[in-house]
Every structure is written in structure tokens, then in C-alpha cells.
Amino acid sequence: MAELAVILVHSTSHAIAAERVLKRAGLEVKLVPTPRHLSSNCGSAVRIPARDGAVCEQLLQAAGVPVDRIELLSERKRGQEPFSEKGS
Amino acid sequence: MIYLDNAATSWPKPPGVADAMVRFLRDVGASPGRSGHALANEAERIRLDAREAVAELLGLRNPLRVVFTANATAALNLVLHGLLTPGAHVVISGMEHNAVMRPLRSLETGGAAVTIVPCGADGALTAADIEEYLRPTTRLLVVNHASNVCGTVQPVGEIAALARRHGIALLVDAAQTGGCRPIDVTGDGIDLLAFSGHKGLLGPTGTGGLVIHEDFDIDRLPALIQGGTGSRSEHERQPDFLPDKYEAGTPNIVGLAGLAAGVRFVLERGVEAIRRHEQDLTGRLLAGLREIAGVRILGPQDAGQRAAVVSFTVAGRASSDVAYELEQRFGVLCRPGLHCAPLAHRTLGTLPGGTVRFAPGLFNTVEQIAAAVDAVREVAGAATHG
């Protein structure tokens, strides 16, 4: 399984905007609940393959979607966090 | 029935507007920004659809800089109350609506200073007219893009360049022009632009908002309404980022679903094509009304210099009587009186009686315009001969 990363954002409006920008660029994205061990934000985050981290950051910056930070999700932590798919 | 009150709100709407609203209520229904379940996310996607459509229409690259409010009035209030602290000076045109005048009269009592730049007899203004009224304390310039009374269009690109030269923020009231005339917030350098969602954008009532230029620093503009946004819930202070900063409270998402469909319709039809159609109808109205004895038309005589709004008076008749007769005898629906803009009527010399206002829209036909002109001829003839 490819290593995963999560894009942490300030709000759901930013999460949905990020999802749209990255989907339009043909990237593989999923909306997930913000992992509690990474942020106290109770909203959504955007999960991506870790290899796409740099390109996602560039795309979102160009589109003006603010990103808090991008974090790698280790296997161990992934095991602790249930990343159920949300939305479409 | 001939509906000529599109300056109040456009009607009918494209069929896709009601369809999108029904679809939202039936299939989605949730509140965007709150929760993270599938329906809440879908609601947020619909809100983003609306932001993207408005951004494309008004010339903004980043849809997150489109803020939705209940109407253009709320967006104007947000800026006026946020920027005009005691001692601040604001310069406005002599054609402003009460959505600007009433907050300003209130802010004046709190120590803000207001200067009204006189306009020509047809309501027109140039950037040069404004410049001499600027002061070192001038914080804001407010211009009505097109008059809701007589359609006079102001040169906002030229005025934006003046504002930039002097480092003064510009607020454009585009309630009458959004969707009907090309607007380029980024290209023209307009800092803040208030729009109505239910007029030229063809959405439902209860929609509108503020478009914020990339260069405008939102730290300068406090939120007028504060509350829940679904973001940063652990903080008791309002978020400091767009669009959440200015969107507290559950939004009118069913209205935004309709707005997205309305603006998509406008984009598909093309603003330039809409402008041409409305200008054709306006030209026919002007030409027809001009031939009627006793009718006086206010504002620019050339349809190219005005939005699709034509105000007129009939000698010897009160505007309310004329409108009532037009509806009762001929089924023509229009708006008489002062149109919530006594300042503009003062500029035009039509206080206190007001005018009869015909505001054609995208869905009016040349046959309807001809019938409306015939109706005015009948009413004015009765006034002259009876």
C-alpha cells in the first residue's frame, strides 16, 4: 500500500476547495476527518498519496487555497485512525 | 402581464434555478461547513459551485474571495461599518442608494465624515470630478456602478485607478450591473464589490455578497457579524481567514444552489449577449417614450450609457397613479416612487414626486416593450386630454 499523507486545512470550505483543485488536476484525493493526533480542528482534511505532497502544495498555493500543513501518515498511526471515506 | 421590475428583482428565473433548489432540498438538505458527513460535504460543494460561478462572472481568480451575504445591502454594510471608524472620511457619488446612505448617516453620528460628489444632471460622474474631494483622512470611496433609478453607468475602471493612485479603498455597488454588464474586479483593480444574487445574476432573493480583490488585506476589515462557522470551533474568536471570517451562521444554502444555476446560465448565455439584448430593449423604450407628449425621461439619453433602467415622469400625474393605471389597464408591472434612493432623485431633480421606472430584463421581448410604450401613450394621453 502506497504511503499516505494528509493535507491539513483551516476549514471545510478550504477542504472542499482543495479537493476540487486536486481532482481537476487528476490527483487521487479523499476527504477524511482531521486526525485528532495531528490537529484539534474537528473538520475535514484531504488524504493524498504521500508521493503527491509537493505537487499538491504547489497546486493549492497557485489556486489560493490556504494549507495549514501536510503530514505523513505512518502505518502505525494509520492503524490508530479510522480513515473512512467521506463524501463522494 | 408584462414584468418590467427587474431592477428590484429579476423575473422569471431560468428553469434550472428552481430545479437546483428543489434538488438541494430533496437530495442534500444539510448545512455546509458543519459536520463532515457526505451530505454536509455535498452542501459545501454546492456552495463552492456558487463561489466559482460568481468569481468567473466578476473577474476574480480565487473563488474563496467571494463571500456570501443575505443581499447586496448586507455586503455594503459589512464594508461601511468595518472601514469607517470615527474620524474616517468617505467619498460617495450623488447617485447612491439607501443601502449606502442609511449606514453612512448612522456612521456620521459616530464620527465618520461623508462627502457627496455632485453628479451631472444625468447622474454621470468622472474620476476627475471625485479627485478634488479626497482628503488625507479619506479611507473609502463608494460608487454605484449603475443607478437603480435611471441606469447611469459610472466609469468604475477609471475611478478604481484614481483610488489606487491615492491609496484609498474602493467599494463598488454592482447590484444593478452584475450579470448585465462585463465586470472585471481583478483587471480594473476594484478592491471590494458588492453584488446582488437575485437581479442580473438570476438567482433567488436572499442571495448576494462581497467580492474581495487579491490585493485587499482582510485584516483591515473586521467581521460585522460573528458566530459559528464550523471552523476552528475550539476558539471563541472569529476566524481570520476567507471566506469563513465574514460568513458566520448557517448560510442560505438552498438560495446558493439556485444562485449557482442562475450564474451558470448567465455565463452560458454570455454577459455581452445579455447586455446587447437589454440595451436593444432600453433603446426601444427610450425612443418610444421620447415621442409621447408630457413624458420626460431622466438620465442619459443614449441606451449605451445606461443599464436597463428607464425612469420617467408624466406631466400632471403622480408616479404612483401612472404605475397603478399601467397595471390595472394594461398589465404592465413597474415601480413608481423614489426607489429607495432619495439622494439619486435629488441629483435628478425628481424629489419628492419620484418617477415611474421601467426595468426590462433578459426575458423581456421587443413586443412587450412596444406594448408597454403603447400603454404609457394611452395613460399620458388621458392625462393630457382629460
Side-chain angles (χ1 to χ4, degrees):
Chain A
M1 191 187 207
E3 194 169 10
L4 296 173
V6 66
I7 302 170
L8 301 174
V9 293
H10 299 311
S11 74
T12 307
S13 52
H14 295 180
I16 298 291
E19 175 195 52
R20 185 161 295 180
V21 168
L22 300 178
K23 270 192 174 170
R24 278 187 186 146
L27 294 166
E28 193 185 317
V29 295
K30 273 185 182 143
L31 277 184
V32 295
T34 304
R36 300 300 294 175
H37 68 280
L38 294 177
S39 167
S40 62
N41 188 332
C42 55
S44 297
V46 183
R47 198 182 71 186
I48 54 169
R51 63 173 185 273
D52 293 335
V55 68
C56 287
E57 198 167 7
Q58 282 169 11
L59 285 166
L60 295 176
Q61 194 182 2
V65 180
V67 170
D68 181 5
R69 63 189 197 277
I70 300 180
E71 290 274 355
L72 277 179
L73 290 171
S74 69
E75 287 294 337
R76 188 182 61 79
K77 283 178 179 164
R78 237 187 296 154
Q80 290 171 345
E81 289 286 335
F83 281 129
S84 56
E85 183 182 345
K86 300 164 59 179
S88 62
Chain B
M1 190 173 72
I2 300 174
Y3 183 81
L4 290 178
D5 199 15
N6 288 277
T9 195
S10 58
W11 189 81
K13 310 292 183 187
V17 171
D19 291 347
M21 295 172 78
V22 169
R23 203 160 47 241
F24 174 81
L25 288 171
R26 193 187 53 213
D27 301 335
V28 184
S31 180
R34 286 89 177 139
S35 315
H37 54 71
L39 294 181
N41 287 336
E42 193 52 29
E44 190 67 66
R45 289 187 190 100
I46 289 167
R47 183 157 63 165
L48 181 59
D49 291 341
R51 285 193 218 285
E52 286 186 336
V54 170
E56 185 178 339
L57 179 73
L58 301 177
L60 199 71
R61 280 188 290 268
N62 186 350
L64 295 176
R65 297 185 79 84
V66 175
V67 169
F68 290 120
T69 56
N71 41 46
T73 298
L76 292 164
N77 269 264
L78 160 60
V79 176
L80 298 173
H81 283 278
L83 291 183
L84 298 175
T85 48
H89 175 233
V90 57
V91 174
I92 66 171
S93 85
M95 292 302 285
E96 299 307 313
H97 187 274
N98 267 350
V100 168
M101 291 316 298
R102 286 182 171 172
L104 288 186
R105 291 306 182 208
S106 167
L107 286 160
E108 248 181 340
T109 62
V114 180
T115 298
I116 301 170
V117 181
C119 295
D122 60 357
L125 191 70
T126 66
D129 295 334
I130 296 170
E131 194 158 20
E132 63 179 293
Y133 294 93
L134 302 179
R135 303 177 192 166
T137 53
T138 307
R139 175 112 19 116
L140 182 68
L141 192 54
V142 185
V143 175
N144 190 341
H145 190 187
S147 166
N148 69 306
V149 175
C150 63
T152 310
V153 175
Q154 308 297 4
V156 290
E158 194 186 303
I159 294 169
L162 171 82
R164 294 236 157 184
R165 233 174 18 252
H166 288 269
I168 296 166
L170 171 66
L171 169 62
V172 171
D173 173 359
Q176 294 301 333
T177 49
C180 307
R181 298 184 79 86
I183 292 177
D184 186 359
V185 165
T186 303
D188 280 344
I190 297 166
D191 297 298
L192 301 155
L193 181 136
F195 64 92
S196 166
H198 63 93
K199 296 181 181 179
L201 275 61
L202 305 180
T205 49
T207 60
L210 183 69
V211 168
I212 303 174
H213 194 282
E214 303 273 348
D215 295 346
F216 185 84
D217 177 8
I218 63 161
D219 289 346
R220 295 169 60 193
L221 183 64
L224 182 62
I225 306 288
Q226 296 159 341
T229 56
S231 51
R232 292 207 176 152
S233 295
E234 70 277 24
H235 293 291
E236 291 181 353
R237 288 196 173 275
Q238 189 73 3
D240 58 0
F241 50 82
L242 288 172
D244 301 37
K245 181 174 180 179
Y246 306 119
E247 289 186 349
T250 301
N252 175 15
I253 183 68
V254 62
L256 296 179
L259 176 64
V263 179
R264 280 291 154 214
F265 181 93
V266 169
L267 290 168
E268 279 160 25
R269 184 64 65 96
V271 173
E272 193 49 40
I274 292 170
R275 190 193 63 78
R276 271 200 308 275
H277 176 65
E278 291 190 354
Q279 189 174 317
D280 175 45
L281 299 183
T282 305
R284 288 167 189 268
L285 264 182
L286 291 171
L289 294 174
R290 207 175 279 137
E291 299 302 315
I292 302 172
V295 167
R296 184 166 78 94
I297 302 169
L298 287 306
Q301 295 301 310
D302 174 7
Q305 289 169 12
R306 57 160 83 209
V309 179
V310 176
S311 253
F312 60 93
T313 57
V314 176
R317 296 291 304 272
S319 62
S320 51
D321 290 347
V322 172
Y324 186 69
E325 194 175 336
L326 285 170
E327 177 174 6
Q328 295 302 310
R329 289 180 59 199
F330 304 99
V332 174
L333 308 188
C334 62
R335 182 171 173 193
L338 297 177
H339 314 99
C340 295
L343 175 63
H345 278 282
R346 188 177 307 135
T347 295
L348 298 167
T350 44
L351 267 185
T355 56
V356 179
R357 183 183 73 182
F358 280 0
L362 174 59
F363 297 111
N364 286 120
T365 62
V366 294
E367 291 77 18
Q368 287 180 322
I369 296 302
V373 169
D374 288 344
V376 175
R377 188 177 297 111
E378 292 286 324
V379 172
T384 312
H385 304 120

